[in-house]
Amino acid sequence: MVDQEKFNERISDLVEEAEDKPVRRAKKEKPNLKESVYSLQPEQLEEWLKENGEKPFRAAQIFDWLYNKRVKTFDEMSNLSKGLRDKLEASFVLTTLSTIIQQESKDGTIKFLFQLQDGYSIETVLMRHEYGNSICVTTQVGCRIGCTFCASTLGGLKRHLLAGEIVEQVVKVQQTLDEVGERVSHIVIMGIGEPFDNYDAMMNFLKVINHEKGLNIGARHITVSTSGIVPKIYQFADEQLQINFAVSLHAPNQEARQKLMPIARAYKLDELMEAVRYYTKKTGRRVTFEYGLMSGENDSVEVAEELSALIKGIKCHVNLIPVNYVPERDYVRTSRSQIFAFEKTLKKNGINVTIRREQGSDIAAACGQLRAQERSEETR
């Protein structure tokens, strides 16, 4: 368990950064990592080429090698001069992730545990659906949000990922799919970490994977989720993107939510709902409320009625999630009959609702579980 003083510092740090407040105390220095070439958008790569005495049109060739041919070394970029390849090698790293573990579930889900260039580890999950192959990507090493039902927050936040480290997760999984002639079709930014706590890198990632010269994954096939960092919800709304937006809600009132999700102490439920309404009005798009069901905590019919009242009138969809058991946490999975009773209550009240299909339960697919099992020194 995290001691309260340390956790309060984490949340204070998050709020200062999200709201550009004056810093109370010295922050950790950013890690001295070599920049990933995957962090660059085409226009940024063109600018780098010009600054290094090269022709800007080479950017399209480099992007072709990265995202279509998916090479693993700069030396494989055979239509570039040796001099340019050497400059790329000196300035950027092409491979920042190495596979520690690759587990495959009986349902086809594959979970990857990757090691980063500084030795930390992250998880990425490939999920197979009727509509295509979806990847759940990680945005941080650890997390400082402190959700009491999630393994990702064990040990706190170690560092933010670079945009290229997020992009490379998709590339690495696509390289695995290349072996069986399949393609990544959907992205969900719901892995380890809070995406809006690493906002700039997340936005850069979105622009790279959505770009026609990059992985060219359609905006409407991408979903980003937040635990409720209110200032960033307004900022994201103002971006006017076609990307799907989800909020981890998990409770219909302030008292219950801050027990499950301590971030609610910093951003109250009424502030969050006001920001969500701003998003739907500004973009015209619906929001998905992620709702994890935990037995005896937030899964009664009475709670479903309260949830219905809270979100009534909002252009939304509720995704009910029977929580995976996490040994480090105490919550018990809601019974099947209670899940259906909760769903029935929402439907009765005119709420659009689905139950998430369970995947990867036999391979520790819950967010942060594999890392907690295999790299326990990072989660203390």
Side-chain angles (χ1 to χ4, degrees):
M1 296 293 289
V2 177
D3 73 56
Q4 195 59 49
E5 183 178 351
K6 186 178 289 187
F7 177 74
N8 288 341
E9 286 183 352
R10 289 184 196 170
I11 295 298
S12 295
D13 288 349
L14 183 152
V15 170
E16 285 172 4
E17 292 170 22
E19 301 179 6
D20 294 323
K21 290 182 175 180
V23 175
R24 299 173 300 107
R25 58 193 176 86
K27 300 291 190 250
K28 292 180 182 178
E29 290 186 11
K30 291 185 178 179
N32 185 23
L33 301 175
K34 198 172 183 181
E35 185 62 80
S36 167
V37 70
Y38 291 114
S39 291
L40 299 181
Q41 299 169 43
E43 300 78 13
Q44 294 169 325
L45 184 53
E46 288 175 2
E47 189 61 34
W48 178 86
L49 286 163
K50 287 190 283 187
E51 290 173 357
N52 285 270
E54 300 287 345
K55 301 293 186 184
F57 77 85
R58 296 291 183 190
Q61 294 175 318
I62 294 169
F63 258 61
D64 182 57
W65 286 110
L66 292 175
Y67 297 108
N68 292 324
K69 298 184 175 70
R70 293 185 278 279
V71 296
K72 298 179 181 179
T73 67
F74 289 117
D75 277 342
E76 294 175 72
M77 299 180 178
S78 56
N79 62 350
L80 305 182
S81 69
K82 178 69 164 58
L84 176 51
R85 282 180 276 154
D86 287 345
K87 290 177 185 177
L88 288 166
E89 188 77 49
S91 298
F92 304 108
V93 61
L94 179 54
T95 301
T96 65
L97 308 182
S98 59
T99 304
I100 304 171
I101 295 173
Q102 180 175 327
Q103 294 182 340
E104 184 160 1
S105 169
K106 59 189 177 185
D107 63 21
T109 300
I110 302 178
K111 187 157 197 176
F112 300 83
L113 186 67
F114 293 125
Q115 181 167 296
L116 302 166
Q117 53 184 317
D118 56 1
Y120 283 126
S121 61
I122 58 170
E123 298 174 355
T124 308
V125 182
L126 166 66
M127 298 165 288
R128 288 185 163 94
H129 303 279
E130 290 181 1
Y131 56 76
N133 292 313
S134 177
I135 298 180
C136 181
V137 298
T138 283
T139 53
Q140 296 176 305
V141 180
C143 183
R144 57 182 166 186
I145 299 300
C147 298
T148 58
F149 50 84
C150 182
S152 296
T153 195
L154 296 169
L157 175 67
K158 305 303 181 183
R159 71 169 174 89
H160 299 312
L161 292 188
L162 306 173
E165 291 173 319
I166 311 173
V167 173
E168 194 182 344
Q169 293 172 62
V170 183
V171 173
K172 292 282 277 190
V173 176
Q174 181 58 63
Q175 287 170 340
T176 298
L177 288 175
D178 287 340
E179 298 172 7
V180 291
E182 297 181 25
R183 186 178 187 277
V184 174
S185 60
H186 293 71
I187 304 287
V188 293
I189 311 176
M190 298 182 183
I192 295 173
E194 162 57 60
F196 281 10
D197 191 24
N198 191 14
Y199 189 87
D200 291 344
M202 179 203 73
M203 289 301 300
N204 199 8
F205 161 75
L206 291 174
K207 290 171 183 175
V208 170
I209 63 167
N210 178 235
H211 201 285
E212 62 180 5
K213 293 180 181 177
L215 289 167
N216 197 22
I217 295 173
R220 297 191 180 196
H221 288 183
I222 303 168
T223 301
V224 60
S225 176
T226 180
S227 61
I229 301 181
V230 167
K232 295 302 181 184
I233 295 175
Y234 286 100
Q235 187 175 347
F236 189 70
D238 290 340
E239 305 275 3
Q240 292 280 28
L241 302 175
Q242 294 297 303
I243 287 165
N244 301 311
F245 177 54
V247 173
S248 294
L249 188 58
H250 306 306
N253 61 68
Q254 176 63 25
E255 182 181 0
R257 191 167 193 268
Q258 71 180 27
K259 178 185 174 185
L260 294 172
M261 305 179 70
I263 187 66
R265 299 176 200 158
Y267 299 111
K268 307 296 185 189
L269 181 60
D270 57 352
E271 296 176 280
L272 172 62
M273 299 311 294
E274 185 178 344
V276 168
R277 289 186 177 90
Y278 177 85
Y279 171 85
T280 57
K281 183 177 180 181
K282 181 79 173 183
T283 66
R285 297 180 59 76
R286 78 174 187 180
V287 63
T288 294
F289 289 114
E290 304 285 350
Y291 195 96
L293 290 166
M294 288 154 268
S295 182
E297 294 288 337
N298 65 348
D299 63 345
S300 69
V301 167
E302 292 75 21
V303 170
E305 292 284 2
E306 193 176 0
L307 176 61
S308 299
L310 177 70
I311 63 178
K312 189 174 181 63
I314 297 176
K315 188 176 183 179
C316 70
H317 165 257
V318 175
N319 188 20
L320 297 178
I321 307 165
V323 295
N324 281 313
Y325 172 67
V326 178
E328 297 84 359
R329 301 305 195 186
D330 298 327
Y331 296 112
V332 177
R333 187 187 184 93
T334 293
S335 68
R336 188 175 179 84
S337 61
Q338 191 59 36
I339 293 170
F340 289 133
F342 200 96
E343 177 195 35
K344 182 179 179 181
T345 303
L346 293 181
K347 284 184 174 179
K348 172 186 68 103
N349 291 320
I351 304 297
N352 186 3
V353 57
T354 54
I355 300 171
R356 179 184 290 180
R357 179 169 68 96
E358 182 180 16
Q359 292 182 275
S361 60
D362 56 327
I363 58 167
C367 190
Q369 266 189 296
L370 184 58
R371 175 172 170 263
Q373 288 177 7
E374 301 295 332
R375 303 295 282 259
S376 58
E377 69 279 5
E378 292 181 27
T379 58
R380 292 185 185 127

